[in-house]
Structure formats: structure tokens, C-alpha cells
Amino acid sequence: MTDYGSQGRGMKAQGRDLKANAYHNPLQPFVAYWGVFWTLFFILINGFAVFFDFNASDFLTSYLNIPIFLVLYIGYKLRKRTKIWKPREMDFDTGIPTLEETESPEMPPRNILERIAGVLF
């Protein structure tokens, strides 16, 4: 979700057309931000009932994932010395296959079961 936002900022900073993206959606980046909002909302209210009748084990079960995620993320960034890419530095060309390279030709059904499966699915 947040990757789409940073990719969009990088493409805009480099003067690329977002509509040229094969997976362009006119509702982006707002749909991605909507998803981030609801994900964070549910993470925060997941164990909200524990505040009415406090129980340490329920609190840890509900909210321990937040500091674990932060420690793992920051620890990885520090240990591997990775950085957050600036929009002007993002590389959108190296190692990216074209659509022709990723598409596989559609194979016709070889028997009746494959034909039925093609109709159903």
C-alpha cells in the first residue's frame, strides 16, 4: 500500500506518465491511502476492550506486534545499512521485464475436463 505511494512520487519526480503503467488505476493513490488508513485503524482498535478491563496478556497479545514490527524494521535498516530511496533516485528500468516477456500464450484446452474448467473458472 505504501509502496504504491512512493512509486507514484518517484514516477512524478522523474516526469513519467503514471497512466503508462500497465497496472494503472485512476483511483490510485487514494485507494492505497484508504487501505493504509483502515489497516492502521484495525491494528489500533484490535484490542481496545482491554482498556476497559485491563489484562496484561490480552494487551500484549493485541499490541505487541507494533513494537516488534518497529524493532525489526529499524534493526534491518541499521544492520544492512539500507536507505529509503529518494524519488529522483528510484530506478524503474533496470531488471524490469516488458509485458511481452511476462505474458504467456493462452493454451487451448486439451480435453473435455480442461474445457469445462475453462468455462467454470
Side-chain angles (χ1 to χ4, degrees):
M1 290 180 270
T2 57
D3 290 343
Y4 189 89
S6 63
Q7 177 191 5
R9 283 191 303 276
M11 291 182 79
K12 283 182 184 177
Q14 295 179 17
R16 293 177 178 251
D17 183 19
L18 292 175
K19 293 181 181 177
N21 187 354
Y23 303 105
H24 172 71
N25 182 340
L27 299 176
Q28 291 289 9
F30 306 110
V31 175
Y33 298 148
W34 181 255
V36 169
F37 167 76
W38 283 109
T39 300
L40 292 175
F41 177 75
F42 283 116
I43 286 173
L44 292 176
I45 67 163
N46 178 30
F48 193 73
V50 75
F51 295 110
F52 297 116
D53 183 25
F54 189 78
N55 182 348
S57 67
D58 289 342
F59 178 81
L60 289 175
T61 302
S62 299
Y63 294 108
L64 188 62
N65 61 346
I66 298 170
I68 287 175
F69 170 78
L70 293 174
V71 166
L72 290 173
Y73 180 78
I74 294 169
Y76 179 84
K77 287 289 187 185
L78 294 174
R79 179 154 173 85
K80 298 291 186 175
R81 301 187 194 283
T82 62
K83 64 177 183 173
I84 297 174
W85 290 88
K86 294 177 183 155
R88 300 286 295 155
E89 297 174 350
M90 292 180 183
D91 182 12
F92 295 110
D93 297 319
T94 305
I96 306 296
T98 63
L99 284 177
E100 291 80 21
E101 294 173 338
T102 59
E103 291 180 352
S104 60
E106 187 172 329
M107 301 295 290
R110 293 176 291 192
N111 55 39
I112 189 70
L113 292 176
E114 287 183 4
R115 188 173 296 160
I116 292 171
V119 170
L120 292 176
F121 304 108

